[in-house]
């Protein structure tokens, strides 16, 4: 029995390493909702197989492969469809703008002032007055910009317009269209476009090839 548990554990160890290689490289702190759920379920399925030495290892392998398939398919669809990506991952939310806390946005997220202060302290920030701009990312991490008016704002990422940034700049998609037309570039050819110091910089996909 102990020998079976040993070999099952060894097999699942290398199998799960392979599984995560297939799913793609992401830091634990940057896992999205789907990735986090898949990770928890994989751990539970692996533990279930090890705890039951007399059961077939396929009892864990088949569900794990199913989860990986679902995760890879959803990742691919999300990459191509911004609406589905928004539904699965949500949108980053500005919680501090121009040094002012956006309480109405925090309330919608059930994100308290204590949560905000705790995450600021984790980044060695003692006071909200030190912060010009803070964004609560999809994974719960707080991105903070300190007293900086010229940080780059991502307008387009892999051909997808960031509506949140567009709104913060008080611009619309017609402005984007005119900008792209002026630079003779199609939206689906934009790898990355960002706005800083009243200027827009565009990196084309065709330039990376």
């Amino acid at each position: 029995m102990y020998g079976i548990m040993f070999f099952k554990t060894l097999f699942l160890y290398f199998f799960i390493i392979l599984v995560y290689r297939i799913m793609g490289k992401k830091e634990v702190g940057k896992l999205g909702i789907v990735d986090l759920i898949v990770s928890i379920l994989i751990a539970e399925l692996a533990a279930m197989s090890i705890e039951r030495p007399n059961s077939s290892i396929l009892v864990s392998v088949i569900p794990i492969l199913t989860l990986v398939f679902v995760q890879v398919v959803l990742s691919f669809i999300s990459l191509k469809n911004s609406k589905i990506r928004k539904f699965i991952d949500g949108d980053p939310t500005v919680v501090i703008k121009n040094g002012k806390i956006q309480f109405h946005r925090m309330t919608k997220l059930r994100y308290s002032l204590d949560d905000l202060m705790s995450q600021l302290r984790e980044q060695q920030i003692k006071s909200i007055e030190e912060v010009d701009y803070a964004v609560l990312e999809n994974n719960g991490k707080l991105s903070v910009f300190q007293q900086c008016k010229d940080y780059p704002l991502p307008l387009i990422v892999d051909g997808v317009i960031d509506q949140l940034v567009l709104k913060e700049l008080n611009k619309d998609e017609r402005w984007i269209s005119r900008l792209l037309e002026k630079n003779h570039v199609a939206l689906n050819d934009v790898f990355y476009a960002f706005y800083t110091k009243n200027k827009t910089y565009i990196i084309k996909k065709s330039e990376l090839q």
Side-chain angles (χ1 to χ4, degrees):
M1 182 179 71
Y2 294 111
I4 294 174
M5 291 177 65
F6 171 78
F7 285 110
K8 272 190 175 183
T9 303
L10 198 62
F11 172 82
L12 287 169
Y13 174 77
F14 289 106
F15 176 68
I16 291 173
I17 288 176
L18 176 62
V19 161
Y20 276 91
R21 293 284 291 178
I22 294 171
M23 287 171 57
K25 297 179 180 178
K26 287 188 179 180
E27 294 179 23
V28 174
K30 294 182 180 179
L31 290 178
I33 294 174
V34 174
D35 299 312
L36 183 59
I37 292 171
V38 169
S39 296
I40 293 172
L41 288 175
I42 286 175
E44 289 295 326
L45 288 166
M48 182 177 68
S49 180
I50 294 170
E51 290 170 356
R52 300 176 182 176
N54 295 326
S55 66
S56 171
I57 199 167
L58 292 177
V59 172
S60 291
V61 170
I62 293 175
I64 288 173
L65 289 176
T66 303
L67 288 171
V68 172
F69 174 76
V70 171
Q71 192 273 346
V72 170
V73 169
L74 283 177
S75 295
F76 179 78
I77 294 174
S78 298
L79 189 64
K80 301 295 181 181
N81 192 306
S82 59
K83 290 183 179 179
I84 293 177
R85 180 168 62 251
K86 180 179 178 180
F87 174 76
I88 294 174
D89 294 330
D91 280 331
T93 303
V94 177
V95 292
I96 298 178
K97 180 181 178 182
N98 296 325
K100 297 180 180 178
I101 299 175
Q102 307 296 296
F103 286 107
H104 62 290
R105 295 177 179 176
M106 290 171 58
T107 301
K108 290 180 180 179
L109 297 172
R110 294 180 294 280
Y111 182 73
S112 69
L113 183 60
D114 287 338
D115 294 329
L116 176 62
M117 295 305 298
S118 174
Q119 289 192 287
L120 288 176
R121 286 194 296 272
E122 287 175 2
Q123 300 190 41
Q124 287 76 50
I125 296 174
K126 299 177 182 178
S127 171
I128 291 175
E129 283 72 23
E130 299 178 34
V131 180
D132 181 51
Y133 197 90
V135 179
L136 188 63
E137 304 292 354
N138 298 335
N139 59 7
K141 180 181 177 182
L142 189 69
S143 298
V144 179
F145 301 91
Q146 293 180 262
Q147 302 300 325
C148 176
K149 301 294 183 181
D150 298 321
Y151 44 80
L153 297 173
L155 282 171
I156 303 173
V157 179
D158 198 19
V160 178
I161 299 171
D162 192 318
Q163 298 294 337
L164 177 66
V165 171
L166 210 57
K167 185 177 179 180
E168 292 300 322
L169 292 173
N170 294 317
K171 306 290 186 182
D172 55 26
E173 292 195 17
R174 287 178 296 177
W175 177 77
I176 289 281
S177 297
R178 290 194 297 269
L179 183 68
L180 295 176
E181 185 178 346
K182 180 181 177 181
N183 287 274
H184 308 289
V185 58
L187 178 61
N188 57 13
D189 188 36
V190 178
F191 175 71
Y192 185 62
F194 62 94
Y195 183 89
T196 184
K197 297 182 180 179
N198 297 318
K199 292 182 180 180
T200 304
Y201 299 86
I202 301 173
I203 301 173
K204 301 178 185 178
K205 293 180 182 177
S206 54
E207 294 175 341
L208 301 176
Q209 298 175 354

